[in-house]
Amino acid sequence: MDKKKSNRGALLGAAFIMATSAIGPGFLTQTAKFTNDFGASFGFVILSSIVLALIVQLNVWRVLTVSNFRGQDVGNKLLPGLGYFLAFLIVLGGLVFNIGNVGGGALGFNTLLGIPTTIGCFLAGGLAILIFLFKDAMAAMDKFTKILGALMIAVIFIVILMVQPPVGMALKETIAPSSGITSLFSPILTLLGGTVGGYITYAGAHRLIDAGYTGLDNLNHVKRSAVMGISIATIVRVFLFLAILGVVVKGVTLDPSNPAADAFKQGAGELGYRFFGLVLLSAAVTSIVGAAYTSVSFLKTLHPLIQKNDKLVTICFIILSTLVMALIGQPANLLVIAGALNGLILPITLGVCLIASQKTSIMGETYRHPKWLLVTGIIVVIITAYLGMTSLSNLGQLFA
């Protein structure tokens, strides 16, 4: 019975580590900025990114768990050295994100309790490190991300009740946006990159591999966990969108330096501002944990010393992120731009998995990748590559 409970916990844990890795400070900033810019039309961006993200996750999670190879190993099996290149991109992106996540945690402590941001950096990093000091760090990570993920949903829902957003308008614009479709390309790419780009693509799948959910026999479990992960991230995104929309439809222009915090403050006063601090702190710390765990999982199989000391390497990764953040301060718009750049990496990582899905040397003789997933996956690669190219020219303008 305990083993079954532990297995269920790992499946839910994989879903939550994927979702909470996505729901970081950048996630909050992106949602607030784009809701302020596009109003109810941002619902269309959310819907588009959900569909694309689900196709990405179902493809990647299937290939990795059935083959029992992590992302870097799949790359090296396809082309010697490709896995090392992927690992470099993912770990570098994970480090950049994690520096911002630590900064977000510091702001969360400052907003919630008035703690100076420099001290808050070390508190946020220290809280994340505590998770990996537990004897069973994986179980502790699963429980931690589940509790804070549920807390974020509850707090944002309370703010929705306070601001009473126009749900009917949001639904209408989600299907037929009044903003021009082409103007929504950059937000779609940014949201997709922030939800399943970079290290986030692999967070849940690598957790399932560590938990032993591999091979054809576990495919149903893998699919359920992937859908659950996207669903959790979607619920938070939609709730956050509605909470902020309820403020901006009243003609309020959000403070561009911290649009999410300003939305909560304008909508629910000082209590709302403190609520935002709690949401930001939860989002930041769970993202620090997810980014560090997944980034190090890309280094595990590259050297036996890292495999043997993975907890220590993960802690060092968090310490490095914390020190950099404490020394350089919070970089403006780093997390939003990092989300867009992660979207540019996405066609490469998904493309690698799609090619691998057709290789019996990787997937085994009996596995058959669903044609609909292959076709839609190729479409997503083309779309994200196109969006990436068209967005490069106006990315600077978007964040000006």
Side-chain angles (χ1 to χ4, degrees), residues 181-186 188-189 192 343-344 346-348 378-394:
I181 297 292
T182 53
S183 70
L184 301 176
F185 282 176
S186 289
I188 290 170
L189 177 73
L192 189 62
L344 297 176
L346 186 56
I348 302 170
I378 291 168
I379 292 169
V380 172
V381 169
I382 294 167
I383 289 172
T384 52
Y386 172 73
L387 291 179
M389 291 303 104
T390 54
S391 297
L392 272 179
S393 56
N394 56 24

Side-chain angles (χ1 to χ4, degrees), residues 46-289:
I46 294 174
L47 179 63
S48 302
S49 64
I50 291 165
V51 173
L52 297 173
L54 193 56
I55 293 167
V56 172
Q57 291 294 62
L58 287 174
N59 271 296
V60 172
W61 287 35
R62 283 180 76 105
V63 170
L64 268 56
T65 55
V66 171
S67 67
N68 196 15
F69 290 129
R70 290 179 175 83
Q72 69 274 22
D73 301 321
V74 169
N76 280 334
K77 288 276 181 185
L78 276 182
L79 181 68
L82 179 59
Y84 298 113
F85 175 68
L86 276 179
F88 172 77
L89 288 178
I90 299 297
V91 174
L92 183 64
L95 181 62
V96 171
F97 255 112
N98 230 24
I99 293 165
N101 289 336
V102 172
L107 285 177
F109 272 117
N110 181 260
T111 305
L112 184 62
L113 301 170
I115 294 170
T117 52
T118 305
I119 296 171
C121 281
F122 291 104
L123 287 176
L127 194 55
I129 287 170
L130 275 177
I131 305 303
F132 295 99
L133 292 176
F134 280 91
K135 187 177 179 183
D136 189 351
M138 292 301 97
M141 181 177 72
D142 291 345
K143 191 171 288 188
F144 181 76
T145 52
K146 280 184 272 189
I147 291 169
L148 289 192
L151 180 65
M152 281 189 277
I153 291 171
V155 170
I156 297 170
F157 185 69
I158 292 169
V159 175
I160 288 174
L161 296 178
M162 294 172 80
V163 301
Q164 299 182 331
V167 177
M169 179 200 291
L171 285 171
K172 182 185 170 188
E173 295 263 336
T174 297
I175 305 302
S178 55
S179 296
I181 297 292
T182 53
S183 70
L184 301 176
F185 282 176
S186 289
I188 290 170
L189 177 73
T190 303
L191 249 66
L192 189 62
T195 307
V196 292
Y199 71 91
I200 304 166
T201 315
Y202 301 97
H206 282 198
R207 175 67 189 103
L208 289 177
I209 290 172
D210 283 340
Y213 278 98
T214 56
L216 283 167
D217 293 344
N218 285 303
L219 256 183
N220 284 333
H221 294 306
V222 170
K223 283 188 286 186
R224 278 202 300 273
S225 190
V227 171
M228 205 184 305
I230 292 293
S231 301
I232 294 162
T234 299
I235 288 168
V236 178
R237 180 84 77 182
V238 170
F239 277 13
L240 190 60
F241 162 59
L242 289 173
I244 295 164
L245 183 64
V247 176
V248 299
V249 292
K250 294 167 185 166
V252 173
T253 301
L254 301 181
D255 178 2
S257 66
N258 199 346
D262 194 39
F264 274 64
K265 191 171 187 176
Q266 298 269 10
E270 188 63 27
L271 179 63
Y273 187 63
R274 301 295 175 187
F275 273 171
F276 175 75
L278 184 57
V279 171
L280 179 58
L281 180 60
S282 302
V285 177
T286 52
S287 288
I288 294 169
V289 170

